[in-house]
Amino acid sequence: AFDASGATTGLLAVPFILALSIGISHLKADSRASEKDSFGLIAIASTGAIFSVLLLGIVSEPKDMQAGLEPHLPEKESVLEAFSAMAPESFWEAVVALMPLLVVFFVLNMMAFRLRGRRFTRVLKGFAYAFLGLSLFLLGVNAGFMDVGSELGYRLASMDSGIYVVAVAFILGIVTILAEPAVYVLTHQIEEVTSGSVQRKFVLTALALGVGVAVALSIVRVLVPPVQLWHYLLPGYVVCVILTYVVPKLFVGIAFDAGGVATGPMTATFIMAFTNGAAEAFDGADVLIDGLGMIAMVAMMPIITLQILGFLFRARSVKEGVDSRAH
């Protein structure tokens, strides 16, 4: 359930929901209130996935399940063979993902937008580029990206060097978030909405460190089976709620949005496969229990780190204000 909350705010949802919330908040006459309320909708939307999956678990009454994973890199005669086999499925998945948005656009265009000429063509070109990019990304993921992640996790965990696996997990968390497409959408929106007062490099640094720590802690949970997911989430979200009372409102919305943005397609594929592979290789770990929950950790830690960034930002602003009055 907690993994689903992060996985649902992916490559398509983040730009659309973020742009929607910013557009609606700009209707406010108060520019400061508009800036603060531009963020937070992604966090609210992701909570729906948590409730729905938890309710599904209550209604469906799942019986005892056993999971297993056999990481292996499939042997193909050529590199292109794996991609050609998965291409039709990846293209169809992209069509299914984009078709509802395209239908909604046509309906709204007839009822309200009335776009014609170049503006209408630009929107259609945007859908075409999104389809091409999403198809290629899904093709890369399905044809080998997840296999490489699970194989890497399995091989490292088989080396019986827990510190080494945790260190590699921390580094992978940092470099993965730097390659996350939705992160760049959020950081650019933050810099634009705040007119550069909150620079994207600081937000990106806080995000990368938070995700690195989250992935490392997830591997610790795999290596130490008595440590359960709620041991992290319960105190973690308590800290998140406490921080909301001491940081600027703008950073509260940014932080909770960042938790959903950080769990994008890169994290939900490569890092999740890496964790599952490590859980399969380590004796005493269960892929179904210990291999899942990593996305929930990645969704939580950026909330803490970005709110700490907001606290530091407020402290610096207060100090600069005091210094200016002194002069």
Side-chain angles (χ1 to χ4, degrees), residues 45-292:
S46 64
T47 59
I50 300 177
F51 285 111
S52 61
V53 177
L54 289 176
L55 289 175
L56 178 63
I58 296 175
V59 174
S60 61
E61 296 182 357
K63 298 179 181 179
D64 293 336
M65 294 180 290
Q66 293 183 351
L69 181 67
E70 296 181 1
H72 67 283
L73 293 177
E75 296 181 1
K76 301 291 183 181
E77 295 181 359
S78 67
V79 176
L80 296 178
E81 184 178 348
F83 290 94
S84 60
M86 296 300 302
E89 181 180 350
S90 300
F91 289 153
W92 175 247
E93 289 177 355
V95 170
V96 172
L98 287 173
M99 187 58 66
L101 290 177
L102 188 61
V103 171
V104 170
F105 166 70
F106 278 118
V107 172
L108 291 178
N109 190 53
M110 290 187 295
M111 297 176 58
F113 297 155
R114 309 291 183 183
L115 298 180
R116 297 291 184 271
R118 292 183 60 185
R119 298 180 66 188
F120 183 77
T121 305
R122 285 183 62 187
V123 175
L124 292 184
K125 285 183 178 179
F127 274 102
Y129 288 136
F131 171 76
L132 179 61
L134 184 61
S135 300
L136 292 175
F137 180 81
L138 291 174
L139 180 60
V141 169
N142 295 330
F145 203 46
M146 294 186 68
D147 289 333
V148 172
S150 59
E151 179 77 8
L152 180 62
Y154 186 86
R155 293 286 181 91
L156 289 175
S158 300
M159 297 172 62
D160 295 329
S161 179
I163 297 178
Y164 183 68
V165 180
V166 172
V168 172
F170 176 76
I171 296 173
L172 285 177
I174 292 178
V175 299
T176 301
I177 205 65
L178 296 178
E180 192 68 67
V183 168
Y184 285 87
V185 175
L186 176 66
T187 53
H188 279 294
Q189 289 281 26
I190 292 171
E191 196 168 55
E192 180 181 347
V193 170
T194 61
S195 301
S197 60
V198 181
Q199 298 182 20
R200 60 184 301 271
K201 63 181 180 180
F202 296 117
V203 178
L204 192 58
T205 301
L207 264 174
L209 291 176
V211 173
V213 172
V215 178
L217 290 177
S218 297
I219 295 298
V220 171
R221 188 166 67 91
V222 172
L223 301 179
V224 187
V227 178
Q228 300 181 29
L229 182 61
W230 71 269
H231 293 159
Y232 290 144
L233 295 184
L234 181 58
Y237 277 108
V238 169
V239 172
C240 292
V241 173
I242 293 175
L243 287 174
T244 59
Y245 292 96
V246 296
V247 301
K249 184 180 178 182
L250 171 64
F251 277 90
V252 174
I254 290 174
F256 277 88
D257 273 0
V261 170
T263 54
M266 294 291 290
T267 305
T269 54
F270 185 77
I271 300 298
M272 187 173 183
F274 175 82
T275 307
N276 289 337
E280 177 65 22
F282 192 77
D283 293 335
D286 189 329
V287 177
L288 199 60
I289 298 176
D290 302 310
L292 300 177

